[in-house]
């Protein structure tokens, strides 16, 4: 498989973390299973080959689809050769760009054609250049953001502070918000509660340590990432990834972050 990562132009940087391209056009292609792990980010995927990917229930995925927060692991299967282009958004992009309450898409996906009156899917299909496709997607997203941008500075501040490890009570105090008010903002703009967002970020921190093998034993990661103990860490790791840390190291071929091919 071939993988590329492309960073957005300046107008998109507050909405898009990066674009990615993943392709496998090998002549001896065999079916592949990919795990979808919780990462705190929504996204968008375009499939050059229609019907190349199916979800865990063996349903075909739309050619161009938007997905929300993933609070539990799931799987996609590639049944034929493919070239996919993806967008990793910032946490609040569903509300900011598409104008939808983010909790409506938590653990869900939707075809762009059902959400927006656009011919962007046809435009992407009519070119074979990945760079041109990213330019088309960029223009499409900038246009939507200019029309619909509904930024919430309180949520942006809270997510930035949580990623720095600041506690929720301190954030609530600084924003002069009750726990219930902050939770309502989070579900509307991010799709999940602040507590769950914090747990997913902690899982991602632990996962990054595992990727870089920066540990002697799992207990080191558990305490470094503020889990109660090793069993608590492993339990949450399985919840968000569908596997144990040791099996992840043995079986995951992770070219796209949080979307590893699973080696049987």
């Amino acid at each position: 498989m071939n993988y590329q990562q492309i960073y957005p132009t300046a107008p998109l940087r507050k909405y898009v973390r990066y674009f990615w391209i993943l392709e496998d056009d090998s002549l001896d292609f065999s079916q592949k299973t990919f795990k979808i792990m919780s990462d705190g980010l929504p996204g968008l995927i375009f499939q050059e080959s229609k019907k190349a990917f199916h979800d865990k229930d063996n349903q075909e995925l739309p050619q161009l689809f938007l997905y929300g927060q993933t609070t539990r692991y799931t799987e996609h299967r590639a049944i034929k050769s493919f070239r996919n282009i993806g967008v990793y958004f910032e946490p609040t992009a569903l509300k900011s760009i598409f104008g939808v309450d983010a909790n409506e898409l938590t653990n869900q996906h939707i075809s762009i054609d059902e959400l927006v009156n656009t011919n962007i899917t046809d435009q992407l299909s009519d070119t074979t250049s990945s760079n041109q496709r990213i330019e088309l997607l960029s223009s499409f997203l900038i246009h939507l953001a200019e029309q619909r941008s509904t930024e919430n500075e309180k949520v942006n501040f809270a997510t930035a502070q949580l990623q720095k490890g600041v506690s929720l009570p301190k954030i609530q105090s600084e924003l002069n918000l009750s726990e219930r008010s902050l939770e309502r903002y989070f579900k509307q703009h991010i799709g999940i509660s602040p507590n769950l967002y914090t747990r997913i970020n902690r899982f991602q921190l632990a996962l990054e340590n595992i990727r870089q093998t920066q540990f002697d034993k799992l207990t080191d990661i558990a305490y470094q990432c503020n889990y109660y103990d090793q069993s608590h860490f492993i339990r949450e790791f399985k919840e968000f990834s569908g596997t144990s840390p040791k099996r992840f190291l043995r079986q995951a071929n992770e070219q796209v972050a949080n979307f590893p091919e699973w080696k049987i």
Side-chain angles (χ1 to χ4, degrees):
M1 288 191 297
N2 298 314
Y3 172 70
Q4 297 179 59
Q5 187 170 300
I6 300 98
Y7 291 99
T9 56
L12 274 179
R13 285 176 193 154
K14 68 177 179 178
Y15 306 112
V16 172
R17 194 159 289 187
Y18 58 84
F19 297 89
W20 55 264
I21 303 167
L22 183 68
E23 60 182 324
D24 188 335
D25 57 0
S26 53
L27 296 176
D28 58 345
F29 180 86
S30 59
Q31 181 174 295
K32 301 181 187 302
T33 298
F34 293 84
K35 282 189 180 291
I36 315 298
M37 303 191 297
S38 303
D39 59 10
L41 304 174
L44 178 149
I45 294 177
F46 169 74
Q47 304 182 77
E48 180 178 85
S49 300
K50 292 181 181 179
K51 305 179 182 180
F53 273 77
H54 290 201
D55 66 16
K56 64 180 177 60
D57 298 318
N58 204 31
Q59 299 297 307
E60 295 172 3
L61 290 165
Q63 188 171 15
L64 177 63
F65 64 93
L66 183 70
Y67 63 88
Q69 290 283 348
T70 303
T71 65
R72 55 184 182 271
Y73 88 96
T74 186
E75 293 182 352
H76 287 173
R77 290 185 300 109
I79 62 171
K80 61 181 180 179
S81 59
F82 61 86
R83 183 198 291 174
N84 287 2
I85 295 179
V87 185
Y88 266 138
F89 290 115
E90 293 295 342
T92 59
L94 294 183
K95 186 69 171 174
S96 299
I97 296 180
F98 298 94
V100 298
D101 283 356
N103 61 328
E104 294 179 10
L105 281 178
T106 298
N107 295 318
Q108 304 289 330
H109 65 263
I110 186 172
S111 169
I112 285 293
D113 296 333
E114 295 180 31
L115 187 65
V116 181
N117 183 16
T118 178
N119 64 348
I120 184 64
T121 305
D122 292 336
Q123 292 179 49
L124 293 169
S125 298
D126 288 343
T127 180
T128 58
S129 164
S130 294
N131 287 336
Q132 287 181 11
R133 284 172 171 159
I134 289 174
E135 289 175 6
L136 285 167
L137 282 170
S138 296
S139 297
F140 170 67
L141 294 171
I142 289 169
H143 176 69
L144 287 180
E146 289 173 345
Q147 283 188 318
R148 310 179 185 213
S149 182
T150 51
E151 287 291 300
N152 186 297
E153 294 305 324
K154 291 183 177 181
V155 175
N156 289 338
F157 174 82
T159 55
Q161 295 300 103
L162 286 173
Q163 288 169 5
K164 294 176 183 177
V166 179
S167 70
L168 278 172
K170 184 173 182 181
I171 292 170
Q172 290 163 17
S173 175
E174 289 191 36
L175 292 174
N176 194 28
L177 287 175
S178 67
E179 181 179 350
R180 176 176 288 186
S181 294
L182 185 60
E183 182 162 332
R184 185 175 67 251
Y185 280 135
F186 259 68
K187 287 187 175 179
Q188 185 178 31
H189 289 266
I190 294 181
I192 53 179
S193 70
N195 279 319
L196 182 51
Y197 182 79
T198 300
R199 288 175 58 213
I200 290 173
N201 272 298
R202 179 172 61 183
F203 159 70
Q204 283 292 318
L205 177 61
L207 181 59
E208 188 58 30
N209 285 335
I210 287 174
R211 288 178 180 128
Q212 298 178 15
T213 61
Q214 294 179 343
F215 63 97
D216 294 321
K217 51 187 182 296
L218 291 178
T219 307
D220 296 340
I221 295 179
Y223 290 125
Q224 182 180 343
C225 297
N226 296 318
Y227 289 97
Y228 297 125
D229 52 32
Q230 182 174 316
S231 62
H232 178 216
F233 164 51
I234 293 173
R235 185 168 63 252
E236 285 215 342
F237 195 95
K238 286 182 177 179
E239 177 183 351
F240 295 132
S241 72
T243 191
S244 69
K246 289 183 178 178
R247 285 193 67 198
F248 176 84
L249 283 171
R250 288 198 308 267
Q251 294 180 250
N253 175 22
E254 191 182 31
Q255 299 198 41
V256 180
N258 303 299
F259 187 67
E261 178 193 358
W262 203 245
K263 297 176 289 186
I264 306 301

